[in-house]
Amino acid sequence: MINVIFLLALALFCTILLAWGFRYLPDRQWQVWATVPSYNRHSETWQGTNLTWYGVLTATANLVAMGVVFCLLGSLGISPLAILALACLLLSGCVPAARWTARLVEGKNHTFTVGGAVFVGFLLAPWIALGMGRLLPGLGDHPLPVLPTLAALAIGYAFGEGIGRLACISYGCCYGKPLRGCGPRVRKIFRRCHFVFSGETKKIAYASGLEGEEVVPVQALTAVIYCLTGLVSAYLFLSGWYAAAFLLASLVTQLWRVFSETLRADFRGGRKLSAYQVMGLLLVPWSVWLAFHFSAVHALPDLAAGLSAFWHPAVLLVLQATWLVMFALFGRSEVTGAHLNFFIRHDRI
């Protein structure tokens, strides 16, 4: 029963959050969350550093992903400390990769890419899990089973990127093709379900001049598909079908990444197949090999134990700290600025 309640709660949370995001985030007022003022003595003006909804939503998506991973791995008897160590090792490789991969592929120094971070994460994860699995028993902890660990990470990634696509809607990046340039079948499918972005500081406006245009809602499609994949994969995990859970979560997300770029209008490189599509295609056989190379344990998860591990005070504090770090890394806009004007409200003196 607890498994059903857990999955229903996740489904309800994702449904409410995604419905809100699809409705409001394309509007101009949902790009900048706050502005921090600073005084420029040379020009005698107040300037501002913009803190973005992109950062808020990216940090929140990472928080949800880590929470799901904690619950799933905790249900296998893995201690919170071991899960925290696993998360820190992975993030230390993936977070820098989000920037330098975009620099290599797109030639941009002030942007990020989830695709590059995911590629690096999928390559590192099995070896980190394998190394920790051999180390933990010597420290008196439960061993870290590789395939269930990979399954939990893939499920967490599906939820994280699904919710993280709301950040792309807020910033106006990863946007779809304009409907006027699509074929009749695509126009018919998205005639009523499309995005119209507003705001000259959104990427879709300054990079492609598509402000006010009806575009394919590719971010929404990705969000729905990934969250549904995460839910089904979580059900398989909690049923003890670890290989199936890992393969479903990894293959669906990577194959959709490859296909979804055919619906996108943002710059992905000058080749027929973008570097991100190549990365996604390479991860497909890699995931299949991992599923067959590492044997799965046969013990059923105990979700009650996983939820208990998640609600540990130290875990909650670390998750909050991680949210703040992710927001600090991704929430400060480097491509927008602000001029501020302060004045006295004499009617209130």
Side-chain angles (χ1 to χ4, degrees), residues 23 40 44 58 70 100 107 116 143 208 210 231 253 265 299 302 314 317:
R23 172 65 179 85
N40 189 327
E44 296 186 349
T58 298
F70 263 98
W100 59 255
S208 297
L210 294 176
L231 287 169
T253 54
D302 180 6
L317 288 173

Side-chain angles (χ1 to χ4, degrees), residues 331-343:
R332 184 174 63 87
S333 177
E334 297 185 11
V335 297
T336 66
H339 295 292
L340 304 178
N341 182 30
F342 296 95
F343 59 92

Side-chain angles (χ1 to χ4, degrees), residues 206-223:
Y206 67 76
S208 297
L210 294 176
E211 181 185 5
E213 290 270 1
E214 296 178 349
V215 297
V216 176
V218 65
Q219 304 102 320
L221 295 174
T222 301

